[in-house]
């Protein structure tokens, strides 16, 4: 009788060990799956932290609706909007648009969400990194607005502005414009952001730069009225 009870206990012990061996891999897999999920969530959260957070209260500060900003962007570059977003960059609330023009080229446009001003209109394929970075503090030093500088540039070269930007070159703050004239020729025009002086007006296809001297020589002639005021 005692031997029979011992056999029963041995059988139960073996059965228990078998069940434990079967369940152990499943428990390990469940733990591994949980750790993988937590790791993925951590990476996703890290990706979200790359840009500045845009709170609901900040979004309410936008004076321009996205429809209005889109209209401004499309008036600047005709084409199809492939991506749009409200974002915060360097503390400034703005709309960002990617627009594909009729030639298939994609343009990156940024519209101030408060004033509606065009902050950026660049070809995404433009890798021109020669210009110095323009900080928010640098931008505040501009005495001439983008609109006024554009008017000066278009007075110098009649045509359509296809690209414009505020940049800093050799320590000087200036606006750079690419203007296509009626013959299809592209001109590179630079306007001093403090005085309104025409610093450069050259045909991009002209390799000898003959037009540059004439442009600089006539700079005062095409200076913005604000330039004289600043000099005084």
């Amino acid at each position: 009788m005692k031997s029979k009870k011992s056999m029963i206990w041995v059988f139960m012990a073996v059965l228990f060990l078998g069940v434990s061996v079967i369940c152990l891999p499943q428990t390990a897999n469940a733990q591994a799956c949980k750790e993988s999920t937590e790791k993925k969530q951590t990476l996703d959260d890290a990706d979200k932290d790359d840009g500045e957070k845009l709170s609901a209260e900040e979004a309410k500060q936008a004076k321009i609706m996205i429809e209005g900003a889109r209209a401004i962007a499309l008036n600047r570059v005709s084409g199809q909007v492939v991506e749009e977003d409200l974002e915060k960059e360097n503390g400034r609330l703005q709309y960002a648009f990617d627009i594909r023009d009729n030639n298939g080229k994609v343009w990156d446009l940024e519209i101030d969400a408060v004033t509606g001003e065009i902050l950026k209109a660049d070809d995404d394929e433009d890798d021109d990194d020669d210009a110095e970075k323009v900080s928010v503090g640098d931008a505040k030093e501009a005495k001439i607005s983008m609109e006024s500088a554009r008017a000066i540039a278009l007075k110098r070269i009649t045509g359509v502005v296809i690209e414009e930007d505020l940049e800093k070159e050799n320590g000087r703050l200036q606006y750079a414009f690419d203007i296509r004239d009626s013959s299809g020729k592209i001109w590179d025009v630079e306007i001093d952001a403090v005085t309104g002086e025409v610093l450069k007006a050259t045909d991009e296809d002209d390799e000898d730069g003959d037009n540059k001297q004439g442009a600089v020589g006539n700079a005062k002639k095409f200076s913005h009225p604000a330039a004289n005021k600043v000099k005084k």
Side-chain angles (χ1 to χ4, degrees):
M1 187 71 177
K2 185 176 181 180
S3 176
K4 188 175 181 180
K5 287 183 178 180
S6 297
M7 290 179 64
I8 292 174
W9 279 110
V10 170
F11 175 76
M12 291 180 66
V14 172
L15 181 62
F16 176 77
L17 290 173
V19 171
S20 299
V21 171
I22 293 172
C23 293
L24 184 60
Q26 295 178 351
T27 304
N29 289 338
Q31 181 65 25
C33 182
K34 181 180 179 182
E35 291 176 356
S36 176
T37 301
E38 291 175 348
K39 183 177 181 181
K40 183 177 184 299
Q41 183 63 43
T42 301
L43 291 174
D44 288 344
D45 292 341
D47 289 340
K48 292 177 181 178
D49 291 336
D50 287 343
E52 296 181 46
K53 294 289 186 180
L54 185 63
S55 67
E57 290 300 319
E58 289 173 326
K60 290 179 181 179
Q61 295 175 9
K63 304 298 183 184
I64 308 295
M65 300 297 291
I66 194 166
E67 293 80 8
R70 188 188 304 123
I72 295 172
L74 289 172
N75 186 53
R76 178 66 182 78
V77 176
S78 298
Q80 180 181 2
V81 175
V82 295
E83 187 175 345
E84 60 185 26
D85 193 19
L86 176 62
E87 62 184 23
K88 191 178 180 183
E89 185 173 317
N90 297 323
R92 180 175 57 201
L93 198 61
Q94 63 187 35
Y95 291 103
F97 296 92
D98 284 350
I99 300 178
R100 181 179 291 108
D101 65 18
N102 298 328
N103 297 320
K105 186 178 293 185
V106 177
W107 294 78
D108 179 17
L109 284 90
E110 295 176 357
I111 309 296
D112 192 300
V114 177
T115 66
E117 179 186 358
I118 298 176
L119 304 171
K120 179 181 179 182
D122 289 342
D123 173 6
D124 277 353
E125 296 176 359
D126 184 8
D127 296 327
D128 183 14
D129 294 328
D130 294 336
E132 302 171 41
K133 295 290 185 180
V134 178
S135 66
V136 176
D138 290 331
K140 290 180 179 179
E141 295 178 3
K143 304 299 183 183
I144 308 297
S145 67
M146 175 72 81
E147 290 76 10
S148 297
R150 188 186 306 122
I152 297 170
L154 288 172
K155 186 176 181 181
R156 178 68 182 85
I157 302 294
T158 302
V160 177
V161 175
I162 59 174
E163 187 174 342
E164 60 186 21
D165 196 16
L166 176 61
E167 61 184 26
K168 197 174 182 182
E169 188 172 318
N170 297 323
R172 181 174 56 201
L173 197 63
Q174 62 187 37
Y175 292 102
F177 298 92
D178 283 352
I179 301 177
R180 180 185 289 114
D181 65 18
S182 57
S183 67
K185 187 177 295 184
I186 306 297
W187 293 80
D188 181 15
V189 182
E190 296 177 357
I191 308 296
D192 191 299
V194 177
T195 66
E197 179 185 2
V198 178
L199 303 171
K200 178 181 178 183
T202 59
D203 172 8
E204 288 188 351
D205 295 329
D206 184 7
E207 297 180 353
D208 60 14
D210 288 340
N211 292 327
K212 184 174 181 179
Q213 184 175 357
V216 175
N218 293 324
K220 294 183 179 180
K221 179 179 179 181
F222 297 103
S223 294
H224 190 272
N228 295 328
K229 185 177 180 180
V230 172
K231 290 179 180 180
K232 289 181 180 179

Coordinates of all heavy atoms in Angstrom, one line a residue, residues 86-138:
L86 N 0.4 72.4 -40.0 CA 0.7 73.5 -39.1 C 1.7 73.1 -38.1 O 1.7 72.1 -37.5 CB -0.6 73.9 -38.4 CG -0.5 75.0 -37.3 CD1 -0.2 76.3 -38.0 CD2 -1.9 75.1 -36.6
E87 N 2.8 73.9 -38.0 CA 3.9 73.6 -37.2 C 4.5 74.8 -36.5 O 4.1 75.9 -36.7 CB 5.0 72.9 -38.1 CG 5.6 73.9 -39.1 CD 6.6 73.2 -40.1 OE1 6.6 72.0 -40.2 OE2 7.4 74.0 -40.7
K88 N 5.4 74.5 -35.6 CA 6.1 75.5 -34.9 C 7.6 75.4 -35.1 O 8.2 74.3 -34.8 CB 5.8 75.4 -33.4 CG 6.2 76.6 -32.5 CD 5.8 76.4 -31.1 CE 6.2 77.6 -30.2 NZ 5.9 77.4 -28.8
E89 N 8.2 76.4 -35.6 CA 9.6 76.4 -35.9 C 10.3 77.6 -35.3 O 9.9 78.7 -35.6 CB 9.9 76.3 -37.4 CG 11.3 76.1 -37.8 CD 11.5 75.9 -39.3 OE1 10.7 75.1 -39.8 OE2 12.4 76.5 -39.8
N90 N 11.3 77.4 -34.4 CA 12.0 78.5 -33.8 C 11.0 79.4 -33.1 O 11.2 80.6 -33.1 CB 12.8 79.3 -34.8 CG 13.9 78.4 -35.4 OD1 14.5 77.6 -34.8 ND2 14.2 78.7 -36.7
G91 N 10.0 78.8 -32.5 CA 9.0 79.6 -31.7 C 8.0 80.3 -32.6 O 7.1 80.9 -32.0
R92 N 8.0 80.1 -33.9 CA 7.1 80.8 -34.8 C 6.1 79.8 -35.3 O 6.4 78.7 -35.7 CB 7.9 81.4 -35.9 CG 7.0 82.1 -37.0 CD 7.9 82.8 -38.0 NE 8.8 81.9 -38.7 CZ 9.9 82.2 -39.3 NH1 10.2 83.5 -39.3 NH2 10.6 81.3 -39.9
L93 N 4.8 80.2 -35.3 CA 3.7 79.4 -35.8 C 3.6 79.6 -37.3 O 3.5 80.7 -37.8 CB 2.4 79.8 -35.1 CG 1.2 78.8 -35.2 CD1 1.6 77.5 -34.5 CD2 0.0 79.4 -34.5
Q94 N 3.6 78.5 -38.0 CA 3.6 78.6 -39.5 C 3.0 77.4 -40.2 O 2.9 76.3 -39.6 CB 5.0 78.8 -40.0 CG 6.0 77.6 -39.7 CD 7.4 77.8 -40.1 OE1 7.9 78.9 -40.0 NE2 8.1 76.8 -40.6
Y95 N 2.5 77.6 -41.4 CA 2.1 76.5 -42.2 C 3.2 76.0 -43.2 O 3.9 76.9 -43.7 CB 0.8 76.9 -43.0 CG -0.4 77.1 -42.2 CD1 -0.8 78.4 -41.9 CD2 -1.2 76.1 -41.7 CE1 -2.0 78.7 -41.2 CE2 -2.3 76.3 -41.0 CZ -2.7 77.6 -40.7 OH -3.9 77.8 -40.0
A96 N 3.3 74.7 -43.3 CA 4.3 74.2 -44.3 C 3.6 73.5 -45.4 O 2.8 72.6 -45.1 CB 5.3 73.3 -43.5
F97 N 4.0 73.8 -46.6 CA 3.4 73.2 -47.8 C 4.4 72.6 -48.7 O 5.5 73.2 -48.9 CB 2.5 74.2 -48.6 CG 1.4 74.7 -47.8 CD1 1.5 75.9 -47.1 CD2 0.1 74.1 -47.9 CE1 0.4 76.5 -46.4 CE2 -1.0 74.6 -47.2 CZ -0.8 75.8 -46.5
D98 N 4.2 71.4 -49.2 CA 5.0 70.8 -50.3 C 4.1 70.9 -51.5 O 3.0 70.3 -51.5 CB 5.4 69.4 -50.0 CG 6.5 69.3 -49.0 OD1 7.1 70.4 -48.7 OD2 6.8 68.2 -48.5
I99 N 4.5 71.6 -52.6 CA 3.7 71.8 -53.8 C 4.5 71.3 -55.0 O 5.6 71.7 -55.2 CB 3.4 73.3 -54.0 CG1 2.5 73.8 -52.8 CG2 2.6 73.5 -55.3 CD1 2.2 75.3 -52.9
R100 N 3.8 70.4 -55.8 CA 4.4 69.9 -57.0 C 3.9 70.8 -58.2 O 2.7 70.9 -58.4 CB 4.1 68.5 -57.2 CG 4.7 67.9 -58.5 CD 4.3 66.4 -58.7 NE 4.9 65.6 -57.8 CZ 4.3 64.9 -56.8 NH1 3.0 65.1 -56.6 NH2 4.9 64.1 -55.9
D101 N 4.9 71.5 -58.8 CA 4.5 72.4 -59.9 C 4.2 71.6 -61.2 O 4.3 70.3 -61.2 CB 5.5 73.5 -60.2 CG 6.8 72.9 -60.7 OD1 6.9 71.8 -61.1 OD2 7.8 73.7 -60.6
N102 N 3.9 72.3 -62.3 CA 3.5 71.6 -63.5 C 4.6 70.9 -64.2 O 4.4 70.0 -65.1 CB 2.9 72.6 -64.5 CG 1.7 73.3 -64.0 OD1 0.9 72.7 -63.3 ND2 1.5 74.6 -64.3
N103 N 5.9 71.2 -63.8 CA 7.0 70.5 -64.3 C 7.4 69.3 -63.4 O 8.5 68.6 -63.7 CB 8.2 71.4 -64.4 CG 8.0 72.6 -65.4 OD1 7.4 72.3 -66.4 ND2 8.4 73.8 -65.0
G104 N 6.7 69.0 -62.4 CA 7.0 67.9 -61.5 C 7.9 68.2 -60.4 O 8.3 67.4 -59.5
K105 N 8.4 69.5 -60.3 CA 9.3 69.9 -59.3 C 8.5 70.2 -58.0 O 7.5 70.8 -58.0 CB 10.1 71.1 -59.7 CG 11.2 71.6 -58.8 CD 11.9 72.8 -59.3 CE 12.7 72.5 -60.6 NZ 13.5 73.6 -61.0
V106 N 9.1 69.8 -56.9 CA 8.4 70.0 -55.6 C 9.0 71.2 -54.9 O 10.3 71.3 -54.7 CB 8.6 68.7 -54.7 CG1 7.9 69.0 -53.3 CG2 7.9 67.5 -55.4
W107 N 8.2 72.1 -54.4 CA 8.6 73.3 -53.7 C 8.2 73.2 -52.3 O 7.1 72.7 -51.9 CB 7.9 74.5 -54.4 CG 8.4 74.7 -55.8 CD1 8.0 74.1 -56.9 CD2 9.4 75.7 -56.2 NE1 8.6 74.6 -58.0 CE2 9.5 75.6 -57.6 CE3 10.1 76.7 -55.6 CZ2 10.4 76.4 -58.4 CZ3 11.0 77.4 -56.3 CH2 11.1 77.3 -57.7
D108 N 9.0 73.8 -51.4 CA 8.8 73.8 -50.0 C 8.5 75.3 -49.6 O 9.3 76.2 -49.7 CB 10.1 73.4 -49.2 CG 9.9 73.4 -47.7 OD1 8.8 73.5 -47.3 OD2 10.9 73.4 -47.0
L109 N 7.2 75.5 -49.2 CA 6.7 76.8 -48.8 C 6.3 76.9 -47.4 O 5.7 75.9 -46.9 CB 5.5 77.2 -49.7 CG 5.9 77.7 -51.1 CD1 5.8 76.5 -52.1 CD2 4.9 78.7 -51.6
E110 N 6.7 78.0 -46.7 CA 6.3 78.2 -45.4 C 5.5 79.5 -45.3 O 6.0 80.6 -45.8 CB 7.5 78.2 -44.4 CG 8.2 76.9 -44.4 CD 9.5 76.9 -43.6 OE1 9.9 78.0 -43.1 OE2 10.1 75.8 -43.4
I111 N 4.4 79.5 -44.7 CA 3.5 80.7 -44.5 C 3.3 81.0 -43.1 O 2.9 80.1 -42.3 CB 2.1 80.5 -45.2 CG1 2.3 79.9 -46.6 CG2 1.3 81.7 -45.2 CD1 3.0 80.9 -47.6
D112 N 3.6 82.3 -42.7 CA 3.4 82.7 -41.3 C 1.9 82.5 -40.9 O 1.0 83.1 -41.6 CB 3.8 84.1 -41.1 CG 3.9 84.5 -39.6 OD1 2.9 84.4 -38.9 OD2 5.0 84.9 -39.2
A113 N 1.6 81.8 -39.9 CA 0.2 81.5 -39.5 C -0.5 82.7 -38.9 O -1.7 82.6 -38.6 CB 0.1 80.3 -38.6
V114 N 0.3 83.7 -38.6 CA -0.3 84.9 -37.9 C -0.5 86.1 -38.9 O -1.5 86.7 -39.0 CB 0.5 85.4 -36.7 CG1 0.0 86.7 -36.1 CG2 0.6 84.3 -35.7
T115 N 0.6 86.3 -39.7 CA 0.5 87.4 -40.7 C 0.2 87.0 -42.1 O -0.2 87.9 -42.9 CB 1.9 88.1 -40.7 OG1 2.9 87.2 -41.2 CG2 2.3 88.5 -39.3
G116 N 0.4 85.7 -42.5 CA 0.2 85.3 -43.8 C 1.4 85.6 -44.7 O 1.3 85.3 -45.9
E117 N 2.5 86.0 -44.1 CA 3.7 86.3 -44.9 C 4.4 85.0 -45.4 O 4.4 84.0 -44.7 CB 4.7 87.1 -44.0 CG 6.0 87.4 -44.8 CD 7.0 88.1 -43.8 OE1 6.7 88.3 -42.6 OE2 8.1 88.4 -44.3
I118 N 4.9 85.1 -46.6 CA 5.6 84.0 -47.2 C 7.0 84.0 -46.6 O 7.8 84.9 -46.9 CB 5.7 84.0 -48.7 CG1 4.3 84.0 -49.3 CG2 6.5 82.9 -49.3 CD1 4.2 84.1 -50.9
L119 N 7.3 83.0 -45.8 CA 8.6 82.9 -45.1 C 9.6 82.2 -45.9 O 10.8 82.5 -45.8 CB 8.4 82.2 -43.8 CG 7.4 82.8 -42.8 CD1 7.2 81.9 -41.6 CD2 7.8 84.2 -42.4
K120 N 9.2 81.3 -46.8 CA 10.1 80.5 -47.5 C 9.4 79.9 -48.8 O 8.3 79.6 -48.7 CB 10.6 79.3 -46.7 CG 11.6 78.4 -47.4 CD 12.0 77.3 -46.4 CE 13.0 76.3 -47.1 NZ 13.3 75.2 -46.1
A121 N 10.2 79.9 -49.9 CA 9.6 79.3 -51.1 C 10.8 78.8 -51.9 O 11.4 79.4 -52.7 CB 8.9 80.4 -52.0
D122 N 11.2 77.5 -51.5 CA 12.4 76.9 -52.1 C 12.1 75.7 -52.8 O 11.2 74.9 -52.5 CB 13.4 76.6 -51.0 CG 14.1 77.9 -50.4 OD1 14.0 78.9 -51.0 OD2 14.6 77.8 -49.3
D123 N 12.9 75.4 -53.9 CA 12.9 74.1 -54.6 C 13.5 73.1 -53.7 O 14.6 73.3 -53.2 CB 13.6 74.3 -55.9 CG 13.8 73.0 -56.6 OD1 13.3 72.0 -56.2 OD2 14.5 73.0 -57.6
D124 N 12.8 72.0 -53.4 CA 13.4 71.0 -52.5 C 14.7 70.4 -53.0 O 15.5 69.8 -52.3 CB 12.4 69.8 -52.3 CG 11.4 70.1 -51.3 OD1 11.5 71.2 -50.6 OD2 10.4 69.3 -51.1
E125 N 15.0 70.5 -54.3 CA 16.2 70.0 -54.9 C 17.4 70.9 -54.8 O 18.5 70.6 -55.2 CB 16.0 69.6 -56.4 CG 14.9 68.5 -56.6 CD 14.6 68.2 -58.0 OE1 15.3 68.9 -58.9 OE2 13.8 67.3 -58.3
D126 N 17.1 72.1 -54.3 CA 18.1 73.1 -54.1 C 19.0 72.8 -52.9 O 18.5 72.9 -51.8 CB 17.5 74.5 -54.0 CG 18.5 75.6 -54.0 OD1 19.7 75.3 -54.2 OD2 18.2 76.8 -53.7
D127 N 20.2 72.4 -53.2 CA 21.1 72.0 -52.1 C 22.2 73.1 -51.8 O 23.3 72.8 -51.4 CB 21.9 70.7 -52.4 CG 20.9 69.6 -52.6 OD1 19.9 69.6 -51.8 OD2 21.2 68.7 -53.4
D128 N 21.8 74.4 -52.1 CA 22.7 75.5 -51.9 C 22.9 75.7 -50.4 O 22.1 76.3 -49.7 CB 22.2 76.7 -52.5 CG 23.1 77.9 -52.4 OD1 24.3 77.7 -52.1 OD2 22.7 79.0 -52.7
D129 N 24.1 75.2 -49.9 CA 24.4 75.3 -48.4 C 25.5 76.4 -48.2 O 26.0 76.5 -47.1 CB 24.8 74.0 -47.9 CG 23.7 73.0 -47.9 OD1 22.5 73.4 -47.7 OD2 24.0 71.8 -48.0
D130 N 25.8 77.1 -49.3 CA 26.9 78.1 -49.1 C 26.5 79.3 -48.2 O 27.4 79.8 -47.6 CB 27.3 78.6 -50.5 CG 27.9 77.5 -51.4 OD1 28.4 76.5 -50.8 OD2 27.8 77.6 -52.6
A131 N 25.3 79.7 -48.2 CA 24.8 80.8 -47.4 C 24.9 80.5 -46.0 O 24.7 79.3 -45.6 CB 23.4 81.3 -47.8
E132 N 25.2 81.5 -45.1 CA 25.2 81.3 -43.7 C 23.8 81.2 -43.2 O 22.8 81.7 -43.7 CB 25.9 82.5 -43.0 CG 27.3 82.7 -43.5 CD 27.9 84.0 -43.0 OE1 27.7 84.3 -41.8 OE2 28.6 84.7 -43.8
K133 N 23.7 80.5 -42.0 CA 22.4 80.3 -41.4 C 21.9 81.7 -40.9 O 22.6 82.5 -40.3 CB 22.5 79.3 -40.2 CG 22.8 77.9 -40.6 CD 21.7 77.3 -41.3 CE 22.0 75.8 -41.6 NZ 20.9 75.1 -42.3
V134 N 20.6 81.9 -41.1 CA 20.0 83.2 -40.6 C 19.1 82.8 -39.3 O 18.2 82.1 -39.4 CB 19.1 83.8 -41.7 CG1 18.4 85.1 -41.1 CG2 19.9 84.1 -42.9
S135 N 19.6 83.4 -38.2 CA 18.9 83.2 -37.0 C 17.7 84.1 -36.9 O 17.5 85.1 -37.7 CB 19.8 83.4 -35.8 OG 20.2 84.7 -35.7
V136 N 16.8 83.9 -35.9 CA 15.7 84.8 -35.6 C 16.2 86.2 -35.3 O 15.6 87.2 -35.8 CB 14.8 84.2 -34.5 CG1 13.7 85.2 -34.2 CG2 14.2 82.9 -34.8
G137 N 17.3 86.3 -34.5 CA 17.9 87.6 -34.2 C 18.4 88.3 -35.4 O 18.2 89.5 -35.6
D138 N 19.0 87.5 -36.4 CA 19.5 88.1 -37.6 C 18.4 88.7 -38.4 O 18.4 89.8 -39.0 CB 20.3 87.1 -38.4 CG 21.6 86.7 -37.8 OD1 22.2 87.5 -37.1 OD2 22.0 85.5 -38.0

